[in-house]
Amino acid sequence: AATVTALPGDEIDAANGAQVLVKTLASGASADFDAAGDLTIDSDTASLTDLRVDFGSANATLTLTDTLGTAANAATDLTLVGSGTVTVAGTAAESLQDIDASGASGAVTMMTANAPTALTSYDGSSGIDTLTIDGVDTSATITLNGGNDDFVSNHAAGTVVVNGGAGTDSYDFAGAG
């Protein structure tokens, strides 16, 4: 794993399989990654809240974790860009609150094992979105956009507004009863 002691403000190129531990930021609260494939990110700084990852045409897994360093991953906002298929996994994915995949044209999957627990917004890709949430922060707006999407809500409180968009979508409100 590469440890970055002062992550610069410009885009970081990451090779397939890269593991990045961010200790501090040079400035701001966001980090841009240009990933050539699978990427693992662990933020050991509370100031890194916004992640933007461009996967290009790669089919890849983005793993958000807090196991490379010593502090909890503070990232709450995630923007995904690219035309490949992207799977978001890892224990820190549970902390995501705002996910913007509208810049992605491939399929986007949020792993159910680490589903967001306090989601406020999801803006889906133009491809197939597979999204499971375990909770919302009072209310959430889910916009699935294009594709034959699959949405599962395991929460029992709060308000979820789901905009299906184009395609034939599947909804499961497992926690609603």
Side-chain angles (χ1 to χ4, degrees):
T3 300
V4 182
T5 54
L7 189 70
D10 51 348
E11 189 172 81
I12 306 300
D13 291 332
N16 184 26
Q19 295 182 332
V20 180
L21 170 60
V22 179
K23 293 300 237 179
T24 60
L25 293 172
S27 65
S30 64
D32 269 346
F33 292 90
D34 189 3
D38 295 344
L39 175 62
T40 298
I41 300 173
D42 183 348
S43 172
D44 242 12
T45 175
S47 62
L48 177 56
T49 58
D50 300 350
L51 296 173
R52 180 184 180 280
V53 183
D54 185 342
F55 285 97
S57 61
N59 293 330
T61 298
L62 170 63
T63 303
L64 301 176
T65 186
D66 54 11
T67 59
L68 299 176
T70 57
N73 193 326
T76 57
D77 296 357
L78 174 64
T79 301
L80 298 171
V81 178
S83 60
T85 298
V86 177
T87 300
V88 179
T91 54
E94 294 174 348
S95 300
L96 292 174
Q97 295 175 356
D98 184 4
I99 303 167
D100 182 354
S102 63
S105 59
V108 175
T109 300
M110 296 293 300
M111 295 304 292
T112 57
N114 299 297
T117 58
L119 194 70
T120 58
S121 174
Y122 181 85
D123 195 0
S125 72
S126 60
I128 298 170
D129 293 294
T130 303
L131 173 66
T132 299
I133 63 171
D134 282 344
V136 298
D137 184 16
T138 309
S139 66
T141 300
I142 311 296
T143 304
L144 297 172
N145 293 322
N148 296 334
D149 306 310
D150 187 18
F151 172 73
V152 176
S153 174
N154 291 320
H155 85 287
T159 302
V160 178
V161 176
V162 181
N163 302 310
T168 303
D169 301 325
S170 169
Y171 306 97
D172 181 357
F173 292 93

